[in-house]
Amino acid sequence: MKQPRHFRLSFQSLLVSLAACIGLAVSHVAHADPVINVYGPGGPAPAMKQAAKEFGEARKVTVNIVAGPTPQWVDKARNDAHVVFSGAENMMGDFAKAMPGVFDLRDAEPLYLRPVAILVRPGNPKGIQGFRDVLAPGIKVLAVAGAGQNGLWEDVAGRTGDIDTLRAFRKNLLLPEAANSAEARKRWIEQAEIDVWLIWNIWQVANPELAQLVEMDEPFRIYRDTGVVLTHRGAELPEAKEFVKFLQSSAGQAIFAKWGWKTP
C-alpha cells in the first residue's frame, strides 16, 4: 500500500531531526570536559581543593576532590579513582592494601611536610608555651591514634628517650584516643574541658576559630608528609598526570604553603 506523500515527508523530517539530535549528543560527549576523580584524607583536603579549583579553571577540567575518613570513599575509589593522596606514608600503605591492584605503591610521590603542633583553646587559658607545659598534672590532652597519626604522640613524647616524659604525657592523655582527625575535631568542639589537642598544624590553619596554635618546640617536633599517586586508570588520563605535575609546581607549592605545609 502506497503511503501518502505528506506522510513520507513527515517521516523523513522525523529521521532528519533524530539524526541531528544524535549528532549533537555525540558532539557533546566528544567535547565534554575531562573529569579527574581524586580521593584522600581530610587533612590535606583544603589545599587539594584549592589546587583542584585553580587547575580546573585554567585547564577546563573538572577535578572532583573527595576527602575524609577512608571508609566513606574507598569503595567508590576502587572503581573510579584517578589520583589518591595521603596524610602520611603509613596511610598510603594502608590505601594500597585497601585498594589492591588500583595503584602501585612504588609510584607514590611525597609532596610536602607539615609539623605536629599544640592546639589550645582561643586565648590559651592554660598558658601553654611548649610541650613541657603539656606535661603539667591535670592538663587534658586529645590525640589521634589512627589514620596518618598512628604512633604520633608516642614519637613526640619519646623523642628525647626519657621514659618519664612519655609517662607524664600518657597520664594526661584522654583514652581512648580519637580514631581519626574528624572524630578528634568533633570531640574538641563538644568537650570544652579538653585543654590541648595534639595534631598537625594544618588543622588550626583550616579551623582558626576553633583553636589557637602553639608551635611544637624542639626536640619534640615531628613531621609527616602528604603524598600523591596516580592510579592505573589515572596514568591513562593525560589531565590526571598534568594535575599531579601542577601539585608539584611552584603554583602548587604556593597553595600548600598557604595552608600551613612546609614547601621547598
Side-chain angles (χ1 to χ4, degrees):
M1 179 178 176
K2 189 175 181 181
Q3 298 288 350
R5 184 171 180 274
H6 69 84
F7 179 85
R8 294 199 303 273
L9 288 175
S10 298
F11 184 69
Q12 290 172 352
S13 299
L14 178 62
L15 289 177
V16 170
S17 298
L18 184 59
C21 290
I22 293 173
L24 286 172
V26 171
S27 174
H28 176 74
V29 171
H31 294 91
D33 290 345
V35 175
I36 308 170
N37 296 318
V38 184
Y39 294 87
M48 281 289 178
K49 288 179 179 179
Q50 182 179 342
K53 183 176 184 294
E54 294 188 12
F55 177 85
E57 290 176 350
R59 306 295 180 90
K60 305 302 180 186
V61 174
T62 299
V63 184
N64 294 324
I65 303 293
V66 180
T70 310
Q72 294 180 4
W73 52 259
V74 69
D75 289 339
K76 192 169 187 302
R78 290 189 189 103
N79 296 317
D80 68 3
H82 297 105
V83 178
V84 175
F85 63 92
S86 71
E89 289 297 325
N90 71 290
M91 181 181 283
M92 186 65 84
D94 289 343
F95 291 163
K97 293 174 185 176
M99 296 182 281
V102 172
F103 65 87
D104 190 332
L105 186 57
R106 292 171 296 183
D107 294 336
E109 183 73 21
L111 287 176
Y112 308 110
L113 292 165
R114 82 290 209 196
V116 67
I118 302 165
L119 272 58
V120 298
R121 297 292 175 181
N124 195 3
K126 294 298 176 75
I128 304 293
Q129 300 300 317
F131 185 69
R132 294 192 186 280
D133 293 335
V134 177
L135 307 179
I139 298 294
K140 295 181 176 62
V141 183
L142 173 65
V144 178
Q149 295 172 72
N150 283 337
L152 179 63
W153 71 258
E154 185 177 7
D155 286 348
V156 172
R159 183 82 165 152
T160 63
D162 180 6
I163 191 64
D164 287 334
T165 299
L166 193 143
R167 286 170 176 162
F169 181 86
R170 195 178 191 285
K171 286 180 180 178
N172 290 346
L173 186 62
L174 298 176
L175 296 170
E177 305 99 309
N180 53 57
S181 298
E183 180 185 321
R185 183 179 184 275
K186 184 173 183 291
R187 288 173 61 177
W188 178 259
I189 293 171
E190 294 176 352
Q191 300 175 37
E193 68 274 14
I194 299 174
D195 303 305
V196 168
W197 182 8
L198 187 77
I199 197 168
W200 309 116
N201 68 319
I202 59 172
W203 280 92
Q204 191 277 334
V205 177
N207 301 276
E209 75 286 355
L210 293 182
Q212 184 173 323
L213 185 141
V214 175
E215 289 191 9
M216 182 65 72
D217 46 326
E218 293 290 5
F220 301 104
R221 192 177 303 159
I222 298 290
Y223 294 86
R224 288 185 186 167
D225 71 83
T226 181
V228 66
V229 66
L230 284 164
T231 65
H232 298 308
R233 180 181 288 103
E236 297 177 355
L237 183 66
E239 292 80 5
K241 292 191 282 188
E242 288 300 314
F243 178 63
V244 171
K245 290 180 181 178
F246 177 79
L247 296 176
Q248 298 167 320
S249 70
S250 58
Q253 289 184 25
I255 292 169
F256 275 80
K258 170 189 170 183
W259 290 99
W261 293 83
K262 181 179 174 61
T263 58

